[in-house]
Amino acid sequence: MDNAIVATHDTHVEEHHVELPQLRHHFETEEQQREAGTFGMWLFLLTEIMFFGGLFFAYLLYRNWYNPAFVAASNQLSIPLGTVNTAVLISSGFFMALGVWAAEVRKKSLLVLFLILTNIAGLAFLGVKAVEYKEKWDKHHIPGAHFDITEFVNPPLNPKTGKPVEEPLSPDMAQKTQLFFVLYFAMTGMHALHMVIGIVLLFWLTYRANRGEFTEGYVAPIENFGLYWHFVDIVWIFLFPLLYLINRHPGT
Amino acid sequence: MSAATIVNLPDQKTAVIPKKNYINAEDGILSWLFTADHKRIAILYLISITFFFLVGGTFAGLIRLELLTPQPDLVASDTYNKLFTMHGIVMIFLFLVPSIPATLGNFLIPIMIGTRDLAFPKINLLSWYLYMFGAIFLSAAIVLGGVDTGWTFTTPLSTHYLNTHVVTAGLGVFIVGFSSIFTGLNFIVTIHRMRAPGMTWFRLPLFVWSNYAASVLMVLGTPVLAITLVLVVLERTIGIGVFDPTKGGDPLLFQHLFWFYSHPAVYIMILPGFGVISEVMSTFSRKRVFGYSAVAFSSVAIALFGFFVWAHHMFIMGVSNYSALVFSLLTMLVAVPSAIKVFNWSFTMQKGSITFETPMLYALAFIGLFTIGGLTGVFLGSLGMDIHLTETYFIVAHFHYVMVGGMLMAFLAGLHFWWPKLTGRMYPESISQLSAVTSFIGFNLTFMPQFMLGYLGMPRRYHSYPPEFQVLNVLSTAGATVLGFGFLMPVLYLLWSLKYGKIAGNNPWQATGLEWQIQSPPLTENFIEMPVMDHEAYDYEWLAHKTEQEVTTVG
């Protein structure tokens, strides 16, 4: 059975001829190949959910046990930076969705543009994340031998009221803030690792898109990468409230 | 169909090895290492897992040799710890998990559902490379001095107290895990999207159903093991404290995460074995599998229940009594679909035209041994008994009855059953029947005494024991020797048969599956023209009818 889309390719040959990926030999039809690819991607994302699931489970458990420490530690995170990053990542996902659309309507230059925009927003996200990590480093909030709990035992005083900005924690409970930061780094780090992998893939896809590979009817790689990229977005959409937003005041 | 149908196929004596097949399609070692053909990848897997089976078997032999006498005399105690750890890790992660899916499943699933290859051939090859890469890590851990955590990597033992190669071994298992994720993913997509026209879900051979159920477990369970091992490695290297009570972490969390994978993992290991038994039982009874849909759904039910019983490994670890009760009840529930399978296989034989070729002997051994293994699992699932029996040899005997008596027997049944299809040649029948009987006797002699030892209170994982346990231990070691011969024989005569075996022909068993309707060994493309499935699975009437037609067209 022939690949209908490949078959029509010759009728509108463009200035630079590109070799379209043929239908793989073991698929009966183009549609079967595309469905199989998308289905495989969804399954892969399912395994990713299970992979992150272990971390989410640990986070919920320990947050429940050591609530005061987790509240105090989560107050150390910057909501403005987190919000900016959320906005950046959502716009990145938006550009990606536009990219899939551009590939489907076969607009090569638009596709390349959107892929580059997606990539820029992704890199910006990582840049902001690096700023946040740097701050943790300066405050000795990286778990390990140099972890410093003084800020939680003796919180700095508010210059206006003269009272501590936070409820002071007992040294024992303050130790547990380290667990928060472990999970913070594990979860955002694993998320960032997925972003880095995505960005590398994006460079490669942009290169191939520029050669016109995805605007002749063969859009599966763009679609499937889009699924991956949206998944990475979604993980952040869960991480942001869990780590930054919920329950910032003890006892409420 | 109540009674068996007699099928008379044309005489296979005149059969020849087809000129073109997947084995001679390309030459050279590189054509194997860079192949995308599911059949060749299956053979790569078969060679690798056989190698690691022999490695793991050697460790087992050394363990049994040490336990011949009550006092420690063959190896030092820490060496003994390393031996049983590496026996467990190698056998579970490098043999049992990939055994049937990655070899027989890889080879047969595309053919059984009537397509040319798995959905993602390159990912299939990648999964073999990941397996080998992980295996190199594990081998490095062994060669550099071993690891002695037990195969469970239990914290805080693994993270704080041991000075062995835990990180190397942990990373090895992590990598091998991805190979099994990719195998499962490939199977699921293939079974959903690549079936031949007319191949509805309820016309699939039961081997496909059970591999499908196992794939679901691989895809959902293995990532959790992966993240758990990452956390163990981080805990050990930089002390993150997630599992460290001094920093507020909880070792029990490790147990939950680990067994969330590792309990379903035992179903990953056994479910494909169920599939083999269904095929073999039907073929050698010349009858459709009794209660086809019950057997199919019981695979799915086992996969589903399998995810909700993990805490029965933790009854003595301080989980709450209420959750222990619930997990105990759920554990008993798994016995229901397992029993459905055993009863249905038994009914398949009823009024069948049974012949006792080697695969059937292994399958019968499977049914007996798996039933014992499964029922003792119910003992262990009940709370009171578990407190008495856990961490004793009763546990060891129980899971060896399921994993060796069940899975390994099923693997050998399948290997003998499909050997003609894999290689185009028959194995030697009488010596292989002898090996099946030898394994069965040796197995029972090895592990039946261990049930008694465990019930009497001999703890597992110790390399010395009170003298009154010696008689049973000597019996067990003697049995292990017999078992060793039983497992070594197939390795030798199967290799022999590659060159000297009788030529098999397309369908030596007169079986109904699509894989038996094509040449053996198959073409790289599997089918000359794509099949259309117009009959139920295990339809021997159809086969008899088909062969009649063939005779008329040829004549």
Side-chain angles (χ1 to χ4, degrees):
Chain A
M1 221 172 284
D2 222 324
N3 177 346
I5 295 171
V6 171
T8 57
H9 170 242
D10 288 342
T11 55
H12 48 274
V13 180
E14 288 166 34
E15 48 279 293
H16 38 259
H17 180 82
V18 285
E19 202 65 44
L20 278 179
Q22 294 293 318
L23 181 66
R24 303 262 193 276
H25 75 283
H26 58 288
F27 289 107
E28 290 290 300
T29 60
E30 162 85 5
E31 194 198 350
Q32 188 187 34
Q33 174 171 345
R34 186 171 166 167
E35 276 183 352
T38 312
F39 188 37
M41 194 65 207
W42 277 106
L43 271 179
F44 176 70
L45 296 182
L46 195 61
T47 70
E48 290 276 37
I49 290 175
M50 298 307 288
F51 187 77
F52 277 97
L55 288 171
F56 276 99
F57 184 72
Y59 179 81
L60 292 176
L61 177 75
Y62 290 137
R63 181 165 187 115
N64 214 16
W65 282 6
Y66 309 123
N67 193 271
F70 271 55
V71 170
S74 82
N75 285 350
Q76 292 288 325
L77 304 181
S78 157
I79 290 191
L81 285 180
T83 314
V84 168
N85 246 354
T86 309
V88 167
L89 205 57
I90 289 177
S91 39
S92 174
F94 176 65
F95 291 134
M96 190 64 228
L98 287 178
V100 175
W101 167 78
E104 273 166 1
V105 298
R106 307 188 178 195
K107 294 197 162 112
K108 194 185 93 180
S109 44
L110 265 183
L111 170 63
V112 173
L113 173 73
F114 286 134
L115 288 182
I116 290 173
L117 284 174
T118 309
N119 212 345
I120 289 174
L123 287 167
F125 177 92
L126 288 180
V128 175
K129 207 73 225 153
V131 171
E132 289 189 80
Y133 282 0
K134 172 76 170 46
E135 191 205 346
K136 302 287 168 299
W137 174 263
D138 291 341
K139 284 182 162 177
H140 295 285
H141 284 165
I142 309 269
H146 300 288
F147 189 77
D148 184 13
I149 58 166
T150 42
E151 202 171 338
F152 301 107
V153 181
N154 297 311
L157 301 181
N158 187 328
K160 285 178 197 158
T161 57
K163 285 180 187 165
V165 290
E166 292 272 358
E167 281 295 301
L169 298 174
S170 69
D172 188 42
M173 186 53 89
Q175 272 300 339
K176 308 295 190 287
T177 56
Q178 191 168 347
L179 264 187
F180 175 87
F181 284 109
V182 162
L183 290 165
Y184 168 79
F185 279 108
M187 293 163 102
T188 58
M190 208 57 85
H191 177 255
L193 178 68
H194 280 79
M195 299 274 303
V196 170
I197 292 169
I199 284 167
V200 172
L201 287 176
L202 260 176
F203 278 116
W204 181 57
L205 286 176
T206 316
Y207 166 76
R208 286 179 64 190
N210 196 35
R211 295 179 8 155
E213 286 187 31
F214 305 127
T215 35
E216 297 294 331
Y218 175 65
V219 298
I222 296 287
E223 257 184 11
N224 289 338
F225 178 79
L227 285 175
Y228 173 81
W229 196 250
H230 295 316
F231 168 79
V232 178
D233 283 4
I234 287 284
V235 171
W236 178 257
I237 297 298
F238 281 95
L239 286 180
F240 178 54
L242 273 180
L243 294 171
Y244 289 71
L245 297 180
I246 54 169
N247 231 6
R248 288 179 68 93
H249 303 288
T252 55
Chain B
M1 242 183 299
S2 60
T5 311
I6 305 300
V7 183
N8 285 310
L9 283 186
D11 195 3
Q12 307 274 334
K13 272 180 196 152
T14 53
V16 286
I17 296 273
K19 281 209 181 67
K20 265 183 77 179
N21 58 50
Y22 79 98
I23 297 172
N24 63 16
E26 286 174 275
D27 286 327
I29 184 91
L30 286 183
S31 77
W32 284 86
L33 291 179
F34 293 108
T35 182
D37 180 6
H38 65 102
K39 297 179 287 300
R40 287 182 155 218
I41 296 169
I43 300 297
L44 291 176
Y45 259 117
L46 183 62
I47 296 167
S48 338
I49 68 164
T50 308
F51 173 75
F52 284 107
F53 173 71
L54 295 177
V55 173
T58 310
F59 290 138
L62 290 171
I63 292 170
R64 277 321 316 168
L65 211 52
E66 165 60 50
L67 292 175
L68 199 56
T69 54
Q71 64 278 19
D73 32 26
L74 181 67
V75 292
S77 37
D78 59 336
T79 314
Y80 181 81
N81 291 348
K82 288 175 184 169
L83 282 178
F84 74 71
T85 301
M86 293 181 303
H87 167 67
I89 292 178
V90 167
M91 281 302 199
I92 285 172
F93 295 111
L94 296 183
F95 178 73
L96 284 170
V97 169
S99 59
I100 290 184
T103 57
L104 296 174
N106 225 337
F107 194 99
L108 293 163
I109 285 178
I111 306 181
M112 283 180 163
I113 67 172
T115 183
R116 296 190 189 92
D117 206 325
L118 288 171
F120 310 113
K122 286 179 192 159
I123 289 180
N124 195 17
L125 183 65
L126 174 69
S127 93
W128 181 72
Y129 275 101
L130 285 171
Y131 170 87
M132 289 310 283
F133 194 50
I136 288 171
F137 268 76
L138 287 174
S139 310
I142 293 171
V143 172
L144 293 175
V147 55
D148 55 354
T149 56
W151 78 276
T152 51
F153 295 100
T154 307
T155 57
L157 184 68
S158 61
T159 50
H160 286 72
Y161 298 111
L162 292 177
N163 202 14
T164 51
H165 296 274
V166 180
V167 173
T168 321
L171 288 176
V173 174
F174 177 82
I175 296 166
V176 172
F178 280 95
S179 112
S180 120
I181 290 176
F182 286 140
T183 302
L185 195 149
N186 227 333
F187 283 0
I188 296 178
V189 174
T190 307
I191 296 168
H192 269 274
R193 288 281 178 259
M194 312 275 288
R195 280 170 287 132
M199 180 62 85
T200 59
W201 280 92
F202 290 97
R203 283 177 177 174
L204 289 174
L206 289 165
F207 181 76
V208 178
W209 270 96
S210 60
N211 272 284
Y212 180 81
S215 304
V216 171
L217 292 172
M218 288 186 206
V219 164
L220 291 178
T222 320
V224 180
L225 176 74
I227 191 70
T228 314
L229 289 170
V230 169
L231 291 175
V232 167
V233 167
L234 289 176
E235 176 90 60
R236 189 176 165 86
T237 47
I238 56 177
I240 55 172
V242 183
F243 303 133
D244 179 2
T246 58
K247 292 178 182 161
D250 186 2
L252 204 56
L253 178 66
F254 169 82
Q255 295 293 332
H256 278 293
L257 293 177
F258 182 82
W259 288 112
F260 182 81
Y261 164 76
S262 295
H263 192 77
V266 308
Y267 301 113
I268 293 176
M269 299 174 218
I270 194 73
L271 273 168
F274 291 159
V276 171
I277 300 304
S278 300
E279 301 295 318
V280 171
M281 278 294 158
S282 165
T283 301
F284 294 101
S285 309
R286 306 276 175 269
K287 265 183 71 194
R288 182 177 159 84
V289 174
F290 185 88
Y292 170 96
S293 25
V295 178
F297 278 122
S298 62
S299 292
V300 181
I302 289 174
L304 186 71
F305 294 164
F307 266 118
F308 300 99
V309 299
W310 76 87
H312 67 214
H313 296 268
M314 300 151 61
F315 285 159
I316 57 161
M317 294 183 193
V319 294
S320 92
N321 286 343
Y322 300 105
S323 78
L325 268 179
V326 173
F327 276 106
S328 175
L329 179 72
L330 288 167
T331 304
M332 311 252 177
L333 279 184
V334 183
V336 176
S338 311
I340 288 176
K341 281 180 182 294
V342 171
F343 288 132
N344 278 310
W345 291 324
S346 311
F347 270 105
T348 304
M349 288 188 284
Q350 192 214 15
K351 290 190 179 171
S353 166
I354 303 173
T355 50
F356 294 97
E357 281 91 346
T358 313
M360 187 62 164
L361 290 183
Y362 276 116
L364 291 172
F366 171 97
I367 291 189
L369 300 178
F370 172 75
T371 306
I372 297 177
L375 283 177
T376 49
V378 178
F379 292 18
L380 291 164
S382 59
L383 285 170
M385 283 296 270
D386 183 69
I387 308 262
H388 176 61
L389 294 174
T390 196
E391 299 297 324
T392 69
Y393 264 84
F394 196 89
I395 290 264
V396 177
H398 157 68
F399 67 68
H400 281 89
Y401 260 84
V402 181
M403 293 293 116
V404 184
M407 182 60 182
L408 195 53
M409 292 291 174
F411 177 67
L412 286 170
L415 194 61
H416 284 89
F417 183 54
W418 282 294
W419 190 254
K421 193 49 70 180
L422 263 65
T423 64
R425 286 179 187 272
M426 297 300 289
Y427 57 84
E429 185 66 48
S430 38
I431 186 172
S432 61
Q433 283 175 333
L434 178 69
S435 86
V437 174
T438 311
S439 316
F440 181 75
I441 294 170
F443 179 85
N444 280 308
L445 192 55
T446 312
F447 291 104
M448 194 61 89
Q450 294 188 9
F451 274 128
M452 301 173 203
L453 283 170
Y455 191 77
L456 295 173
M458 178 170 161
R460 64 193 284 206
R461 293 181 169 166
Y462 282 71
H463 83 319
S464 59
Y465 53 84
E468 63 262 35
F469 291 146
Q470 190 174 9
V471 175
L472 289 169
N473 269 302
V474 168
L475 279 180
S476 179
T477 301
T481 318
V482 178
L483 187 62
F485 277 111
F487 288 153
L488 212 53
M489 277 199 279
V491 178
L492 299 177
Y493 66 70
L494 287 180
L495 283 176
W496 174 87
S497 78
L498 285 179
K499 194 153 169 29
Y500 305 105
K502 211 168 63 168
I503 290 171
N506 295 356
N507 193 355
W509 308 127
Q510 312 186 352
T512 58
L514 281 181
E515 79 271 26
W516 297 110
Q517 315 311 322
I518 59 174
Q519 67 175 47
S520 18
L523 288 167
T524 304
E525 297 278 289
N526 295 344
F527 299 96
I528 296 167
E529 69 184 270
M530 296 318 285
V532 176
M533 187 76 170
D534 53 6
H535 56 278
E536 302 300 311
Y538 314 112
D539 189 345
Y540 292 89
E541 304 273 2
W542 167 83
L543 186 67
H545 187 61
K546 172 177 176 278
T547 45
E548 273 165 26
Q549 276 183 330
E550 257 173 23
V551 170
T552 51
T553 49
V554 169

